[in-house]
Amino acid sequence: MKNRVLLLLLCMLTFNLNAKAINVIVSDGIDNPSVKVKIENAASRILNEVNAAQNENRNLNFNVMGVNAQVQRSMSMLWENTPFVCIDDEIVEHGISTSSGYQIRNIPLMMKPTGERPFNEDEYQEAVINFDKQGNVESFNLSISVNLYMNVVNSNLELTDLRRRQMILDYVEQFRTAYNQKDIDFLRMVYSEDALIITGRVITQKQPEGFTSQKIKYNKQTKQQYLRNLTRVFNTTQYVRVTFDEIEVMRHPTNPNFYGVTLHQGYTSNTYHDDGYLFLLWDFRNEQAPEIHVRTWQPDRLEGHALSRDEVFSLGDFDIK
């Protein structure tokens, strides 16, 4: 960990002095040579423009990138909340086939490398660029780590479920990026109208015997209440950064269109930080517009001890009618 921090600090200090053109190379995974070259060129253009904009302290030039309006909107929101820079000048990655096209993952970024805030190792993040089957850019998202991604993808070899798991991971990354972008419109779209939102917080109680004890107090909110409160948070914070470092995906045993996703989440803003478990109940009956019916969050520690997994919300805690 110490060596990693030193390396990232060195990257921050030397970027402006030694900035080089970034070259993205797809080592394998894309059989069509023309699509492979198109993807390599598109990814290289995006990352070179990101670094140029960061070095020149300006907004992104999407004419140079050549991406569609949806990608422009997404990257603009992310750039406004937490500007970033690519810290490698050559990226060699495996191309991953998805149901809709291809992915290039494991793109190393440093989030907001300049400014007055002290360095934090969470500044290092990774991105994923999604492409359609013709090699056109479809999205640019902050990603979960490639190890977490592959663990979930390889956990079930049934073809239909594998496709769903890739879709779930894609939406989880969009979901994560939406918080980093402060994209309330995406969150309004992805939560069902009757979504159940449960949040927990640790409260300390003084006992008659003189000692104190802690418990988690849970609060239920409707979608409207939750988004109203979240909008206020987005409007009053300089930046929001959400990270996921654990993930578990489970398909419902009798309702195969429903999946429970449990994540260990880190949440950081300029005024607040917490770590806890996030549970999402996804409904994929409409694959073009999946919805979240349940969102829970609870702290990962109580009275100085890690929360046991049987205390963490999971698929079995909710009835699906």
Side-chain angles (χ1 to χ4, degrees), residues 22 24 39-53 60-62 64-68 71 75 79 84 86 107 109 127-131 136-140:
I22 298 171
V24 177
I39 286 174
E40 290 173 334
N41 290 341
S44 298
R45 281 198 308 271
I46 289 173
L47 297 177
N48 278 296
E49 169 54 22
V50 161
N51 281 12
L60 299 172
N61 183 344
F62 292 110
V64 173
M65 291 187 188
V67 294
N68 64 37
V71 178
M75 292 191 69
W79 188 261
F84 50 92
C86 180
I107 297 172
L109 302 179
V128 52
I129 306 178
N130 288 279
F131 304 84
N136 301 305
V137 179
E138 286 193 321
S139 65
F140 181 102

Side-chain angles (χ1 to χ4, degrees), residues 12-125:
M12 292 171 62
L13 293 172
T14 60
F15 167 71
N16 285 339
L17 295 177
N18 300 307
K20 298 179 181 179
I22 298 171
N23 186 29
V24 177
I25 300 170
V26 179
S27 59
D28 58 357
I30 302 176
D31 295 331
N32 188 314
S34 61
V35 171
K36 174 180 177 294
V37 170
K38 187 174 181 179
I39 286 174
E40 290 173 334
N41 290 341
S44 298
R45 281 198 308 271
I46 289 173
L47 297 177
N48 278 296
E49 169 54 22
V50 161
N51 281 12
Q54 178 65 250
N55 201 36
E56 298 165 15
N57 193 28
R58 59 171 173 79
N59 291 329
L60 299 172
N61 183 344
F62 292 110
N63 291 329
V64 173
M65 291 187 188
V67 294
N68 64 37
Q70 181 178 342
V71 178
Q72 292 180 29
R73 175 183 178 275
S74 175
M75 292 191 69
S76 291
M77 295 179 72
L78 184 60
W79 188 261
E80 181 179 355
N81 188 35
T82 49
F84 50 92
V85 66
C86 180
I87 58 176
D88 279 358
D89 54 24
E90 182 173 83
I91 298 171
V92 181
E93 286 296 330
H94 172 72
I96 297 177
S97 294
T98 68
S99 59
S100 60
Y102 304 96
Q103 288 183 341
I104 303 299
R105 306 186 64 83
N106 206 31
I107 297 172
L109 302 179
M110 187 71 73
M111 310 303 292
K112 201 167 184 176
T114 59
E116 297 179 357
R117 293 185 295 112
F119 174 77
N120 185 313
E121 67 173 302
D122 288 341
E123 304 281 348
Y124 175 82
Q125 301 295 329

Side-chain angles (χ1 to χ4, degrees), residues 118-180:
F119 174 77
N120 185 313
E121 67 173 302
D122 288 341
E123 304 281 348
Y124 175 82
Q125 301 295 329
E126 293 174 356
V128 52
I129 306 178
N130 288 279
F131 304 84
D132 64 19
K133 292 185 183 298
Q134 290 72 46
N136 301 305
V137 179
E138 286 193 321
S139 65
F140 181 102
N141 290 315
L142 300 179
S143 65
I144 61 175
S145 74
V146 68
N147 289 335
L148 291 180
Y149 179 92
M150 296 309 299
N151 285 343
V152 172
V153 167
N154 294 332
S155 63
N156 191 299
L157 298 180
E158 183 183 344
L159 182 59
T160 302
D161 194 50
L162 171 60
R163 180 175 59 84
R164 278 280 177 82
R165 285 168 184 266
Q166 286 185 312
M167 292 178 63
I168 289 168
L169 290 169
D170 182 49
Y171 270 96
V172 164
E173 289 174 335
Q174 290 185 59
F175 179 83
R176 177 203 168 190
T177 304
Y179 280 86
N180 287 270

